[in-house]
Amino acid sequence: AAFLAAVFYASKKAPKVGIKSDDVFSLVLWVLPLAIVGCRIYYVISEWDQFKDDLISILYIWEGGIAMYGGTIAGALTIIVWSKCKKIPFAATLDMGGSALILGQVIGRWANFVNREAFGRETDIFCRMGLTRPGHETVYVHPTFLYESLWNLVGFIIIDRYWYRKDHRKYDGQIFIFYVFWYGAGRAWVEGLRTDSLYIPGTNIRTSQLLAAVSALAALLILLVNIKRPHRPTYAAELAAQSAQAVESTEETTEKSEKTEEKNDV
């Protein structure tokens, strides 16, 4: 459901960044499998001790073990290559991809609820989630999937209602940078509540929390710096200008042709 929602939303918003809706589906054929591979690689690196003595188990993805950041990185690299082949500014493609990705994350996080996984430490907060194992008492924990889903929902609404307006998106890549900031800020907070975090080997530092915090700060800095900087028109604006110029040129040619015919008639 998350995947389909993201794809169809991307196809709807693609023209706003200068990309044909049909191109979205060809991009998905590349991004989806490579993103899954990226998710797995990221997890394997983080949990290398689990796989180093049984390398073939790296392929057993159906037993669980993927990480979202790996998919995001692999997806971004795939978009860069695809955009270059299509001669589309990759920053414009990232804008479309980022807005669709955060929608997918809003929905996809609920799989953690269904699977009873990725929850937080014990708490008595009003929105706590109860977990009960056979023969054990019910334990109430932070529903971290809910926190992240709601956080991403707010981010998605901001992107859809604010950043996609013509007067707010000043340059290609701006929406994606905002996505990195918003998701990173939320993930850095939520990750600190979880009990199943991946850690940097030999340390007590949560891998995803560190990466989220660093990426959020970097994205925020880029957004602030770019406020005052001049930017070239967006890819969509350039295409619109070229189209308008072509129409104007056609009208001028037609007008000249009509005048010539009138002169010949005289």
Side-chain angles (χ1 to χ4, degrees):
F3 170 71
L4 291 175
V7 170
F8 282 104
Y9 179 79
S11 67
K12 179 182 177 181
K13 292 297 182 181
K16 288 186 175 294
V17 299
I19 299 174
K20 297 178 182 177
S21 295
D22 290 344
D23 284 339
V24 173
F25 299 101
S26 67
L27 173 60
V28 168
L29 294 177
W30 288 99
V31 170
L32 179 60
L34 292 176
I36 293 175
V37 171
C39 286
R40 184 61 168 177
I41 291 175
Y42 186 97
Y43 181 84
V44 169
I45 292 175
S46 300
E47 293 287 295
W48 179 243
D49 288 341
Q50 177 184 337
F51 299 97
K52 65 180 182 180
D53 297 324
D54 185 18
L55 297 182
I56 191 65
S57 64
I58 293 175
L59 302 178
Y60 301 164
I61 194 170
W62 54 88
E63 294 182 355
I66 60 175
M68 184 62 209
Y69 271 114
T72 302
I73 294 170
L77 293 175
T78 304
I79 286 174
I80 291 174
V81 176
W82 180 88
S83 298
K84 187 172 182 180
C85 293
K86 287 283 188 178
K87 298 182 179 179
I88 298 173
F90 78 90
T93 314
L94 286 176
D95 278 346
M96 176 193 68
S99 62
L101 181 59
I102 196 170
L103 173 60
Q105 290 170 322
V106 170
I107 303 170
R109 269 301 167 195
W110 284 82
N112 297 140
F113 173 69
V114 175
N115 291 338
R116 295 163 54 90
E117 64 187 5
F119 48 82
R121 58 178 179 265
E122 292 187 37
T123 181
D124 59 356
I125 194 171
F126 74 95
C127 60
R128 60 191 178 275
M129 178 176 68
L131 295 174
T132 306
R133 290 185 298 164
H136 293 74
E137 294 182 0
T138 299
V139 176
Y140 293 95
V141 298
H142 280 287
T144 49
F145 78 92
L146 177 63
Y147 301 160
E148 190 169 330
S149 180
L150 292 177
W151 177 264
N152 289 338
L153 177 60
V154 174
F156 169 72
I157 293 173
I158 293 173
I159 289 174
D160 186 72
R161 300 299 179 184
Y162 179 83
W163 286 110
Y164 266 122
R165 288 179 58 180
K166 185 185 298 184
D167 55 336
H168 289 147
R169 182 171 170 270
K170 303 297 185 182
Y171 54 90
D172 290 327
Q174 191 172 22
I175 290 178
F176 183 76
I177 295 171
F178 172 79
Y179 159 76
V180 172
F181 159 70
W182 188 266
Y183 178 73
R187 183 63 183 271
W189 165 59
V190 171
E191 193 69 27
L193 300 174
R194 287 174 56 169
T195 60
D196 63 339
S197 300
L198 301 176
Y199 290 84
I200 296 176
T203 73
N204 291 322
I205 300 175
R206 301 170 189 259
T207 306
S208 292
Q209 189 174 36
L210 176 63
L211 182 58
V214 171
S215 60
L217 289 173
L220 179 60
L221 179 61
I222 294 173
L223 287 173
L224 294 176
V225 169
N226 282 342
I227 290 177
K228 299 294 184 180
R229 293 178 59 188
H231 302 281
R232 62 175 293 174
T234 63
Y235 181 59
E238 290 180 346
L239 291 178
Q242 292 173 7
S243 179
Q245 187 177 5
V247 170
E248 184 179 348
S249 177
T250 301
E251 290 176 348
E252 290 179 355
T253 301
T254 302
E255 185 177 349
K256 289 180 181 180
S257 178
E258 290 176 349
K259 288 182 178 181
T260 301
E261 289 179 359
E262 290 177 359
K263 186 179 294 184
N264 290 337
D265 291 340
V266 172

